[in-house]
Amino acid sequence: MASIYQEIILQHAESPHNFGRLPSSTNKIVLDNPLCGDVIQMEVEIRGKIVTDIKFTGKGCAISKASASLLTDFAKGKKIDELRALDKTSIIKLLGVELGPNRLKCALLPLEALQKLIHK
Amino acid sequence: MIDVIEIKKDFPIFKDNADFVYLDSTATSLKPSSVIRAMSEYYSHYSANIFRGVYDISERSTKEYEETRSLVKEFIHASSEAEIIFTRNTTESINLFVNGMSDRLQRGDEIVTVISEHHSNFVPWQQLAQKKGLIFKIIDVDKTGTWQEDWQSLITKKTKVLATSHVSNVLGTLNPIRQIIKDIKKINPDIVILVDGAQAVGSVSVDVQALGCDAYVFSAHKMLGPTGVGVLWAKEELLDTLPPYQFGGEMIRSVTPQKTVFANLPHRFEAGTPHIAGVIAFKQAILYLQGKGLKKIYDHEVALAQDFYNKLNNTFGKDVTIIGPAQRASGIVAFTINGVHAHDVAQILNEDNIAVRAGHHCAMPLHDRLGVEASVRASFYLYNSFDDVDTIVRSLIKVRKMFNK
Ligand SMILES: Cc1ncc(COP(=O)(O)O)c(C=O)c1O
């Protein structure tokens, strides 16, 4: 079985991109997964239906951090409509690893945060 | 001495996976062939409902079902079969009991539980308290699992129920139930005491009468038996006063359009067709445990847990936080590797064919209390060896390396 802890995931978990606060944010959300104690705070700046900037903070496992890091990279500069279409498969593709149903929950928390933000 | 090599041969899961290191028996134990065979024997040869048929195979299923009840009675030293109620699991046993106690509790009455309880012995009481305006008191523990020194000050003349576990599923502590009950009954002899034995019965020899409790609950699946079978034991005088939990078939004596007379104990609390195959196979689990000897099993799992505890401390020093006492009293060891999330630890161990649990183990109040978001839990049982301890320690070293700690 191949490790899900590929270099890319470990790197993003160790030094996540877009980690921090966003003073210019237009929307912000805090979501948690009490089951594993993960918390994510995500902030976006939306201008003309485009996510012009996005940042997150929080705590969680390597998978949830890597997922947030990769997702925020991906989201930056994208149209809201395009981001609404993201789903489970898109996250698995971004991470590049297979995840079982239990770990998938960790990976999907950032996506849930993003979609709640852009639906507001 | 426990001969792990011999024991493993009885557990078919190791047949295709000889190196599998299963350290999550606290969640559910593995099953020996005798249990699996008994299930399949029932479904293949006498899969009849109980208490109903007068034909041979129904007589047989009824007889076998009731034989398990007799064995459970002996196993926990109950005074009669009438006191042994089969349920789905510990959780259902507790809910049945809480529901039964509900009618006799009134606004202002107190119920007491412990911060380290599994949600299944915490939430039902908390909800009942909210619904009925009861006072819900919680005994605190420190990080070694010791109850707050003045816990007895929480027990008063208005206390009606105390609910505690026998063995904690996170701290791994073995509560001195007998002494605790003595102390409680000195303050107020009318308190009804429920003991959650889910983590105890499969390795600690239990005598419910000697313990002095009023009710005792556990699950078959944590002691080599099938899933879907639990037990509620309670004193007959107490059970007699509790209303039924569910209504329907198997729990009645007679029904007219106006009136229903309920069946006697224990059937009054076993509405509907139960998990017949599971109950029948549960007998094999108890026989297996008795055959190996509970005392030997207990000593074995504690020795493994202690070895693991010592090696964790020696190998990781300040990088590890272990929950519970330095002197282990069960096969359970929960810990965190500082700076690495419990899920990541468990996932990397999984890649090395080691199964452990990560999370809060259905004990959120305790994790909050200890300021731990999530922990890793390794639990040792009779099919684990000292090699398993070394394997998990090696794998944890790898975890630390991966995360550059
Ligand atoms: C102490 C304790 N109580 C209750 C339970 C709940 O058991 P079940 O899920 O079989 O109802 C568990 C299981 O993890 C437990 O460890």
Side-chain angles (χ1 to χ4, degrees):
Chain A
M1 184 175 52
S3 172
I4 67 162
Y5 293 89
Q6 304 295 328
E7 211 41 44
I8 169 164
I9 288 188
L10 286 172
Q11 268 169 17
H12 278 270
E14 171 88 25
S15 1
H17 302 179
N18 314 307
F19 192 83
R21 303 295 305 271
L22 186 61
S24 63
S25 70
T26 50
N27 291 336
K28 144 172 139 180
I29 191 172
V30 181
L31 267 192
D32 68 344
N33 177 355
L35 272 178
C36 46
D38 288 0
V39 186
I40 184 165
Q41 164 165 315
M42 195 177 270
E43 295 177 278
V44 285
E45 180 194 87
I46 297 174
R47 307 245 176 259
K49 306 217 169 208
I50 288 181
V51 171
T52 44
D53 205 353
I54 179 166
K55 280 197 188 299
F56 78 99
T57 59
K59 50 189 183 181
C61 63
I63 298 298
S64 76
K65 271 196 230 147
S67 168
S69 173
L70 287 155
L71 177 65
T72 47
D73 267 356
F74 176 85
K76 218 183 287 183
K78 294 270 183 342
K79 287 203 194 82
I80 285 181
D81 285 346
E82 194 180 337
L83 296 175
R84 280 195 183 134
L86 291 180
D87 62 5
K88 197 165 83 179
T89 336
S90 336
I91 295 295
I92 294 174
K93 236 193 238 154
L94 275 178
L95 286 166
V97 293
E98 284 295 329
L99 292 173
N102 294 334
R103 280 328 282 290
L104 200 53
K105 288 184 207 134
C106 312
L108 292 180
L109 191 66
L111 177 63
E112 194 188 330
L114 176 65
Q115 295 198 321
K116 286 210 165 117
L117 272 178
I118 59 182
H119 268 109
K120 269 191 184 163
Chain B
M1 265 281 287
I2 289 283
D3 185 347
V4 176
I5 295 174
E6 275 309 305
I7 284 178
K8 279 190 156 175
K9 291 182 190 157
D10 297 330
F11 289 78
I13 204 159
F14 294 114
K15 238 183 221 142
D16 306 319
N17 195 354
D19 300 327
F20 183 40
V21 178
Y22 184 70
L23 300 179
D24 198 17
S25 299
T26 301
T28 195
S29 71
L30 302 176
K31 320 300 172 201
S33 313
S34 57
V35 168
I36 301 165
R37 252 197 326 267
M39 299 268 294
S40 136
E41 169 82 9
Y42 166 77
Y43 286 124
S44 313
H45 299 295
Y46 61 105
S47 60
N49 212 325
I50 48 174
F51 306 132
R52 293 182 189 162
V54 290
Y55 45 89
D56 284 356
I57 63 168
S58 175
E59 295 287 10
R60 179 172 172 205
S61 62
T62 307
K63 179 171 153 282
E64 303 249 359
Y65 184 87
E66 289 302 319
E67 272 177 19
T68 302
R69 199 189 308 273
S70 303
L71 185 60
V72 170
K73 177 207 126 191
E74 266 175 47
F75 190 61
I76 62 167
H77 302 87
S79 58
S80 86
E81 276 89 0
E83 298 180 333
I84 307 294
I85 317 282
F86 287 122
T87 62
R88 282 190 303 140
N89 47 40
T90 304
T91 305
E92 189 175 58
S93 298
I94 295 172
N95 277 278
L96 189 165
F97 192 73
V98 169
N99 176 75
M101 291 295 294
S102 169
D103 284 355
R104 62 164 73 190
L105 299 173
Q106 289 162 2
R107 177 168 291 278
D109 284 348
E110 301 169 357
I111 47 187
V112 180
T113 183
V114 189
I115 193 77
S116 49
E117 291 307 301
H118 188 282
H119 293 161
S120 68
N121 199 23
F122 194 90
V123 181
W125 297 113
Q126 178 199 54
Q127 295 299 308
L128 179 71
Q130 285 172 8
K131 193 169 103 192
K132 303 214 46 168
L134 313 174
I135 299 164
F136 185 55
K137 291 180 162 177
I138 303 166
I139 295 172
D140 194 24
V141 300
D142 64 18
K143 59 179 188 298
T144 68
T146 313
W147 288 14
Q148 66 184 84
E149 207 181 326
D150 60 347
W151 66 266
Q152 291 185 31
S153 66
L154 272 67
I155 312 288
T156 72
K157 291 283 179 212
K158 287 170 85 180
T159 308
K160 292 288 157 69
V161 180
L162 179 126
T164 174
S165 57
H166 198 170
V167 168
S168 154
N169 70 316
V170 179
L171 297 159
T173 43
L174 173 66
N175 286 317
I177 294 296
R178 210 169 159 159
Q179 188 56 47
I180 287 171
I181 292 177
K182 264 195 200 144
D183 293 342
I184 292 171
K185 299 249 167 173
K186 245 186 260 159
I187 304 170
N188 176 353
D190 298 330
I191 297 176
V192 170
I193 295 161
L194 169 97
V195 177
D196 172 355
Q199 295 305 337
V201 184
S203 34
V204 177
S205 161
V206 169
D207 180 330
V208 288
Q209 298 189 67
L211 285 176
C213 53
D214 300 282
Y216 196 97
V217 294
F218 53 100
S219 298
H221 71 93
K222 295 184 195 283
M223 49 187 292
L224 310 184
T227 57
V229 177
V231 172
L232 163 68
W233 167 84
K235 285 182 180 157
E236 197 168 342
E237 315 89 84
L238 178 58
L239 282 176
D240 268 335
T241 65
L242 304 184
Y245 180 51
Q246 291 181 325
F247 301 95
E250 322 254 20
M251 57 80 68
I252 49 94
R253 179 190 299 259
S254 69
V255 181
T256 68
Q258 290 78 32
K259 187 167 181 281
T260 294
V261 180
F262 303 128
N264 288 336
L265 291 176
H267 306 293
R268 189 149 56 89
F269 292 105
E270 293 182 3
T273 301
H275 185 5
I276 303 170
V279 169
I280 289 173
F282 182 30
K283 177 175 147 193
Q284 297 304 322
I286 298 176
L287 291 174
Y288 190 92
L289 291 170
Q290 288 179 324
K292 299 297 167 204
L294 277 184
K295 175 83 175 75
K296 280 190 199 154
I297 295 172
Y298 177 75
D299 289 347
H300 177 72
E301 66 180 48
V302 172
L304 292 173
Q306 193 65 53
D307 187 42
F308 180 53
Y309 178 93
N310 297 344
K311 285 180 174 154
L312 270 181
N313 265 334
N314 294 341
T315 315
F316 297 96
K318 284 201 305 296
D319 290 342
V320 71
T321 306
I322 307 176
I323 299 173
Q327 202 68 44
R328 304 316 290 189
S330 71
I332 300 165
V333 184
F335 62 97
T336 55
I337 301 284
N338 303 341
V340 188
H341 194 286
H343 279 172
D344 293 322
V345 176
Q347 183 95 47
I348 296 165
L349 296 192
N350 175 59
E351 289 169 3
D352 286 345
N353 208 14
I354 303 168
V356 293
R357 186 72 191 275
H360 52 62
H361 325 300
C362 300
M364 272 189 177
L366 177 68
H367 278 77
D368 274 354
R369 166 69 183 83
L370 301 179
V372 178
E373 279 155 38
S375 60
V376 183
R377 181 183 67 195
S379 48
F380 300 89
Y381 206 14
L382 72 169
Y383 32 67
N384 294 118
S385 64
F386 286 94
D387 286 346
D388 291 348
V389 175
D390 294 334
T391 307
I392 181 176
V393 171
R394 269 199 307 275
S395 199
L396 287 170
I397 293 171
K398 199 174 102 185
V399 170
R400 180 166 61 172
K401 265 207 204 114
M402 246 165 130
F403 285 85
N404 299 318
K405 294 291 159 198

